[in-house]
Amino acid sequence: MAMKSLPEMGGSKSTSATSAEAEVFSLSASVAEMEAMAKKLRRHIVTMIGKAGSGHPGGSLSAVEILTALYFKLMRHKPQDPQWPDRDRFILSKGHAAPLLYAVLAECGYFPVEELATLRQMDSRLQGHTDRTITPGVEMSSGSLGQGLSFALGAALAGRIDEQGYRVYVLLGDGECNEGQVWEAAMATSHYNVDNLTAVVDNNGQQIDGWNCDVMGLDPFAGKWQAFGWKVIEVDGHSIPRLLEAFKEAQKVKGQPTVIIAHTVKGKGVSFMENNPDFHGTAPNTMELELALKELE
Ligand SMILES: Cc1ncc(C[n+]2csc(CCOP(=O)(O)OP(=O)(O)O)c2C)c(N)n1
């Protein structure tokens, strides 16, 4: 299905505006249109990583629907005013999935889509891992795993203290949950009864060296979060309707944080990348890119 341009989808996209003038990004997009956007984002991901000759396709492709639901439906944000104080915050803790975040930000209008072709080049604003000091819309510099939930907790507590109504979303990898800092932050988040924060785990079952169960098993994963005082919602992480329901359910939970365990497939959408640890951090070559784009038509 051909994707409509953002204005056709009902999205706000102005060229330049002051903080007060900039519009809140909103889309009256249907699920079908968001699914088409997800496919477009996958094309961006493989294309930019292929052009750069390095990067992380697997864990970018697995989280596409999660970010599509957030940025194109749920979050309140202003692409023309990335620092808008009332914006909902999205923290990419698994910073190696930067190509996915860049594709989403570009499609929302934070910077031109053409800039995606500069991924990982010298002086580009789009480096291999996120840098909040150079890329519009990036909230946290990440890449060193394990830190995003702590950062998100700080942002959520600040919002509560300042009586601002924004929500904080943070995306973690399941392999990343081998990091002790994740569980320190999990403990603190429930200790402070933080309910304006939703964590999402991209539960694709793999990490850099293969399957989590072979490297450092996480089971019982839901039980661990529950034991740390979290409300747990498990969902098919490639179903936009199920993700939207889960995020809305999380918004209603009071007095405790919520984690959405999103069951996903690493490399989703490209057959030879799916569940293939070789494509954790390897770019497709010219022939593989051609094949991938054919599958994503
Ligand atoms: C602190 C730290 N240790 C090790 C790495 C190297 N590393 C990069 S990605 C990765 C695997 C992450 O697995 P997961 O969080 O499941 O990501 P996904 O499979 O979704 O890509 C590792 C170990 C890192 N970036 N940071």
Side-chain angles (χ1 to χ4, degrees):
M1 175 188 161
M3 191 64 192
K4 288 178 185 173
S5 68
L6 279 165
E8 283 172 327
M9 283 176 65
S12 56
K13 199 179 184 188
S14 54
T15 44
S16 68
T18 64
S19 177
E21 286 169 343
E23 289 173 51
V24 179
F25 187 86
S26 70
L27 283 179
S28 50
S30 66
V31 168
E33 284 169 328
M34 282 190 282
E35 285 168 353
M37 174 58 83
K39 194 177 265 192
K40 193 175 191 182
L41 295 170
R42 288 195 162 92
R43 291 175 64 83
H44 283 318
I45 289 165
V46 293
T47 303
M48 72 176 110
I49 295 176
K51 181 167 189 308
S54 64
H56 297 81
S60 296
L61 292 168
S62 59
V64 165
E65 282 80 8
I66 298 167
L67 267 73
T68 301
L70 283 173
Y71 274 90
F72 294 96
K73 201 74 175 179
L74 285 157
M75 290 201 319
R76 299 180 72 247
H77 61 115
K78 292 183 176 182
Q80 306 307 321
D81 182 13
Q83 295 302 312
W84 178 42
D86 293 340
R87 71 193 182 283
D88 290 331
R89 273 74 167 159
F90 173 77
I91 315 298
L92 180 68
S93 189
K94 42 172 269 182
H96 57 282
L100 165 60
L101 181 58
Y102 298 154
V104 168
L105 292 174
E107 284 294 339
C108 289
Y110 282 84
F111 48 81
V113 169
E114 296 71 45
E115 202 169 328
L116 295 176
T118 71
L119 177 74
R120 288 179 169 246
Q121 285 177 14
M122 291 285 277
D123 297 327
S124 168
R125 295 195 289 183
L126 310 181
Q127 289 304 311
H129 296 79
T130 55
D131 183 339
R132 72 186 299 279
T133 66
I134 56 172
T135 315
V138 168
E139 298 281 353
M140 177 191 171
S141 302
S142 55
S144 186
L145 295 168
Q147 301 176 6
L149 185 55
S150 306
F151 186 103
L153 170 58
L157 286 172
R160 185 160 89 185
I161 291 163
D162 294 343
E163 296 182 356
Q164 284 178 286
Y166 63 75
R167 280 195 81 75
V168 182
Y169 297 93
V170 53
L171 181 69
L172 304 157
D174 50 1
E176 179 180 15
C177 293
N178 286 164
E179 290 285 346
Q181 187 176 340
V182 170
W183 301 101
E184 292 178 45
M187 188 159 49
T189 309
S190 72
H191 174 81
Y192 291 110
N193 306 113
V194 171
D195 55 15
N196 58 343
L197 179 155
T198 304
V200 188
V201 179
D202 179 5
N203 195 46
N204 58 35
Q206 292 196 345
Q207 53 180 278
I208 195 166
D209 294 319
W211 294 98
N212 292 324
C213 55
D214 297 324
V215 181
M216 180 70 76
L218 291 154
D219 288 339
F221 195 46
K224 283 190 173 69
W225 287 99
Q226 272 156 359
F228 275 77
W230 288 60
K231 158 91 179 167
V232 179
I233 302 171
E234 296 201 55
V235 72
D236 173 353
H238 296 304
S239 165
I240 289 176
R242 296 291 86 76
L243 283 163
L244 292 172
E245 282 167 18
F247 281 119
K248 284 183 184 147
E249 191 184 336
Q251 284 171 3
K252 292 188 198 131
V253 176
K254 296 293 166 217
Q256 67 176 147
T258 301
V259 59
I260 296 173
I261 300 179
H263 297 290
T264 58
V265 173
K266 197 152 175 172
K268 176 74 175 175
V270 180
S271 59
F272 56 90
M273 292 186 182
E274 288 191 0
N275 287 325
N276 181 354
D278 291 346
F279 282 99
H280 167 81
T282 306
N285 62 29
T286 311
M287 200 187 73
E288 289 164 340
L289 176 59
E290 207 175 294
L291 276 174
L293 289 174
K294 220 172 183 53
E295 290 188 18
L296 293 169
E297 268 172 11

